Amino acid sequence: MAKSLKDRLTQALIDSKLITEKDLERARNLQIKDGGGSLGRILVKEGILSEKDLMSAMSKELSMPAIDLSKYKVDEDCVNLIPEAMARQYRVIPICRFTNTLIVAMADPLNIFAVDDLKALTKFKIEPVLGTETGILDAIDRFYNSEDRSLSDAIKNAEDSNLEVISIAKEEFDISEAVLEGETPPIVKMVNLIIQEALRKRASDIHVESEEDYLRVRYRIDGNLQEALKIPKKNQNAVLARLKIMSGMDITESRMPQDGRFKIRLQKKEVDFRVSMLPTAFGGKVVLRALDKANLSMGLDALGFSSDTLARFKEAIAKPFGMILVTGPTGSGKSTTLYSVINQMNTPDKSIITIEDPVEYQVEGITQIQANSDIGLTFANGLRSLLRQSPDIIMIGEIRDSETADIAIKASLTGQLVLSTLHTNDAPTAISRLIDMGVEPFLIASSIVLVAAQRLCRVICKFCKGKGCNKCNSTGYLGRIAILEALAVDDKIREMIIENVSVDDIRNYAVSKGMKTLRDDGMEKYKNGVTTMEEVVRVTTEE
């Protein structure tokens, strides 16, 4: 019995050692589990096979030409012959036309249903050529997502969002034309889809930015911004109005910065969003920061700390009083680490109070105070008040001034465990920073039990091992992990602080006692195959 084209192709992949029989069996099981789909797409999606190797094998076996769409000029007149919804559904894009023949790039030319549907729709003979799925989707984004395309068309072709906004402003505002449009189903659906897609791609931030001719949407994924969407300028006010309404902002205020927050539920998972809005020359910029509380329930053991660093942290948090500091630049994961610590210590027998600006994660069982300098509720004033509540553990969002530092350190000497953050490049420098703030060295020496400096570096994608695949958006990285240097303050370091010894001498002593620097911890993760040398160098350049 003659083999089908699909069987010949899979056999060719096995013969060329691109896949194994075991890989094929796994892909077929997934195909059955998912109710169908292309075997080739499943092999690529699972990181078993690269798109390039699949296209090369298909081209050879099917005697069909392959095309690199990034280097090919597509005839834009032909693009209009196939609706975007069908192009995305079948992973196809028309590239040119000769008399009654339409040349179409296809990721799966063996899909006879797609060929028949295209033939019936266009009334042309369909001549397939091979293209990678990524290349075709990129081309669809380029040629269908033009500024002239209306928002309603984009939404019509999109899947329904299953995102539910469960916490939204209830205030009534002066309803302008923008607000009316902002509450219409197309705009609501578009904003929901933007949020849903951001969460699907594991974005930590969504940037919605007014440009001169359009509204740009970008996602921060694993620390790097990636452009996601351009929305026509005519829809700008409506989208910004919708985001203001969701976040509880004043819809009538367009000249002053505003902050807000809201909560959504997506597939039984709740995510808080902290929202910041700035007026700009072309309208406004909104940044939505996703705060996923599921990350906090993992505990310290799941944060990726090296064994000796983890041991130092656990020893420090076991102490009944003292101060623990986590240092690093904005976006280095300091707050997540501290929240993981207090979440682990959040038991009925402990009173935990935080003062933050703003409150990032809302955690049940913990008393959280929002600092507000406009009404005189500064970190220092808030600290004075909360100390009267007899807490066991205090978390201060950031030590920004000498008054806050002085009160925090004195609190750590009178029976409280105090956790906070500082902006310094490494752990030993935190000591000199506190001295610069006017804190007496003997108080620092008596109070601090641990200083940890932290960075986040990207993790090599486990599906493609760094080559780039659909799972990691072709970046080669999937997720981030913390690298730390943890300075445990012993008697010798206390003496060095009191004697005003240099930061370099303290660092050298700590290293001699086993402290790994940020670079050392990063290199260990590189040697273990967790990240790359480039990532370690990138996040530790100041060393």
Side-chain angles (χ1 to χ4, degrees):
M1 187 179 199
K3 285 188 176 181
S4 68
L5 283 173
K6 288 184 180 180
D7 289 340
R8 281 166 37 205
L9 177 60
T10 52
Q11 190 59 51
L13 292 172
I14 292 170
D15 292 343
S16 59
K17 296 185 171 22
L18 291 171
I19 65 171
T20 65
E21 292 280 2
K22 189 175 180 180
D23 292 331
L24 182 60
E25 182 183 357
R26 176 183 161 197
R28 281 177 171 157
N29 288 336
L30 287 170
Q31 188 182 41
I32 293 168
K33 182 180 176 182
D34 295 340
S38 162
L39 265 180
R41 186 185 297 177
I42 292 170
L43 289 166
V44 171
K45 182 181 178 183
E46 293 299 312
I48 298 169
L49 186 66
S50 73
E51 282 191 311
K52 185 177 179 182
D53 286 341
L54 175 63
M55 188 168 74
S56 176
M58 290 177 74
S59 178
K60 183 178 179 181
E61 190 62 30
L62 305 176
S63 301
M64 185 179 291
I67 187 170
D68 184 348
L69 284 165
S70 65
K71 300 175 182 176
Y72 188 89
K73 183 172 173 59
V74 172
D75 184 346
E76 294 189 39
D77 290 335
C78 292
V79 171
N80 296 326
L81 295 172
I82 298 176
E84 182 185 356
M86 184 177 284
R88 289 192 184 277
Q89 179 187 353
Y90 289 135
R91 304 298 198 263
V92 302
I93 190 165
I95 56 176
C96 61
R97 183 180 67 184
F98 298 103
T99 59
N100 66 335
T101 300
L102 186 64
I103 311 298
V104 179
M106 302 184 69
D108 183 11
L110 300 180
N111 188 340
I112 57 173
F113 300 105
V115 174
D116 287 346
D117 284 354
L118 293 173
K119 189 185 296 183
L121 174 74
T122 63
K123 311 302 181 189
F124 285 101
K125 178 185 174 184
I126 303 299
E127 188 70 35
V129 296
L130 275 169
T132 65
E133 181 171 330
T134 299
I136 288 170
L137 289 174
D138 285 345
I140 290 172
D141 287 338
R142 287 201 310 275
F143 293 104
Y144 285 96
N145 284 345
S146 66
E147 291 177 40
D148 295 333
R149 178 171 170 240
S150 71
L151 187 61
S152 59
D153 287 341
I155 295 168
K156 192 190 305 177
N157 291 323
E159 295 179 0
D160 283 337
S161 168
N162 59 357
L163 178 145
E164 177 189 359
V165 180
I166 58 175
S167 176
I168 195 167
K170 301 296 183 185
E171 294 89 342
E172 294 185 5
F173 306 103
D174 293 333
I175 303 298
S176 66
E177 183 178 343
V179 181
L180 288 170
E181 188 183 352
E183 286 297 336
T184 58
I187 296 297
V188 172
K189 187 173 182 181
M190 171 54 77
V191 172
N192 286 357
L193 286 169
I194 288 170
I195 295 170
Q196 182 175 322
E197 184 68 6
L199 294 177
R200 188 185 70 81
K201 290 187 173 183
R202 305 173 298 102
S204 59
D205 306 306
I206 306 171
H207 291 240
V208 183
E209 303 157 311
S210 300
E211 301 292 346
E212 186 172 8
D213 300 316
Y214 54 84
L215 188 67
R216 178 170 67 168
V217 179
R218 293 189 292 171
Y219 298 147
R220 189 180 296 281
I221 302 170
D222 294 334
N224 291 354
L225 281 171
Q226 301 176 14
E227 189 162 299
L229 178 68
K230 288 181 179 178
I231 297 172
K233 190 71 174 178
K234 65 183 180 181
N235 300 114
Q236 172 179 298
N237 289 344
V239 172
L240 295 182
R242 173 61 184 166
L243 289 171
K244 281 185 176 182
I245 292 168
M246 290 173 68
S247 309
M249 297 180 187
D250 183 350
I251 203 75
T252 64
E253 178 57 71
S254 59
R255 297 171 298 173
M256 297 292 292
Q258 294 190 71
D259 294 309
R261 65 189 308 145
F262 63 89
K263 183 185 295 183
I264 61 98
R265 183 183 291 117
L266 181 62
Q267 296 172 349
K268 298 183 179 179
K269 179 180 179 181
E270 290 186 4
V271 180
D272 288 331
F273 278 90
R274 201 180 77 202
V275 187
S276 171
M277 184 157 196
L278 287 175
T280 64
F282 299 118
K285 172 171 178 172
V286 183
V287 176
L288 301 87
R289 185 177 183 194
L291 304 170
D292 187 353
K293 284 189 283 191
N295 295 333
L296 308 182
S297 60
M298 299 184 298
L300 282 173
D301 294 300
L303 290 179
F305 294 176
S306 59
S307 56
D308 57 336
T309 301
L310 182 61
R312 292 181 183 211
F313 250 101
K314 287 187 173 180
E315 183 180 351
I317 66 177
K319 295 183 182 297
F321 59 88
M323 176 177 278
I324 297 172
L325 293 173
V326 181
T327 78
T330 301
S332 59
K334 302 186 297 295
S335 294
T336 299
T337 296
L338 288 186
Y339 269 106
S340 296
V341 170
I342 62 171
N343 201 59
Q344 188 163 313
M345 296 189 291
N346 185 14
T347 56
D349 62 325
K350 287 190 174 68
S351 169
I352 303 175
I353 304 180
T354 75
I355 179 163
E356 307 164 69
D357 183 20
V359 173
E360 295 201 24
Y361 297 93
Q362 294 173 337
V363 182
E364 187 176 351
I366 294 174
T367 302
Q368 296 173 274
I369 302 169
Q370 169 76 53
N372 187 344
S373 56
D374 292 341
I375 60 171
L377 183 54
T378 61
F379 277 118
N381 290 338
L383 262 176
R384 288 192 186 93
S385 298
L386 70 85
L387 285 171
R388 300 188 191 106
Q389 299 279 316
S390 187
D392 299 301
I393 300 162
I394 299 168
M395 188 183 89
I396 307 163
E398 181 185 347
I399 293 178
R400 298 175 179 172
D401 54 65
S402 58
E403 190 178 13
T404 305
D406 185 62
I407 298 169
I409 283 180
K410 288 175 180 175
S412 71
L413 293 172
T414 56
Q416 281 86 27
L417 184 63
V418 178
L419 299 90
S420 191
T421 69
L422 271 177
H423 285 282
T424 62
N425 288 333
D426 58 20
T429 306
I431 294 166
S432 62
R433 176 65 54 82
L434 290 172
I435 292 172
D436 291 342
M437 285 181 173
V439 181
E440 293 290 344
F442 76 90
L443 290 175
I444 298 171
S446 303
S447 62
I448 293 182
V449 294
L450 179 79
V451 184
Q454 180 168 320
R455 299 291 187 278
L456 293 176
C457 65
R458 293 180 292 174
V459 174
I460 295 171
C461 176
K462 64 182 179 181
F463 296 98
C464 65
K465 305 301 180 187
K467 297 175 185 176
C469 64
N470 291 340
K471 293 274 188 181
C472 63
N473 296 318
S474 300
T475 64
Y477 297 99
L478 188 67
R480 290 188 291 174
I481 195 169
I483 60 173
L484 287 98
E485 62 179 37
L487 174 68
V489 179
D490 60 13
D491 290 340
K492 177 63 177 176
I493 291 178
R494 290 189 184 95
E495 288 178 16
M496 296 172 85
I497 294 171
I498 293 170
E499 293 169 4
N500 205 18
V501 171
S502 72
V503 168
D504 287 337
D505 287 344
I506 293 175
R507 181 186 297 108
N508 292 336
Y509 169 78
V511 169
S512 73
K513 289 297 182 179
M515 182 188 85
K516 288 179 183 168
T517 65
L518 284 165
R519 178 68 59 84
D520 291 338
D521 194 37
M523 289 301 294
E524 181 177 297
K525 288 180 169 63
Y526 159 65
K527 289 173 184 174
N528 292 335
V530 176
T531 188
T532 62
M533 174 77 78
E534 292 78 11
E535 270 298 287
V536 175
V537 172
R538 181 180 71 85
V539 301
T540 61
T541 49
E542 65 272 6
E543 290 202 354

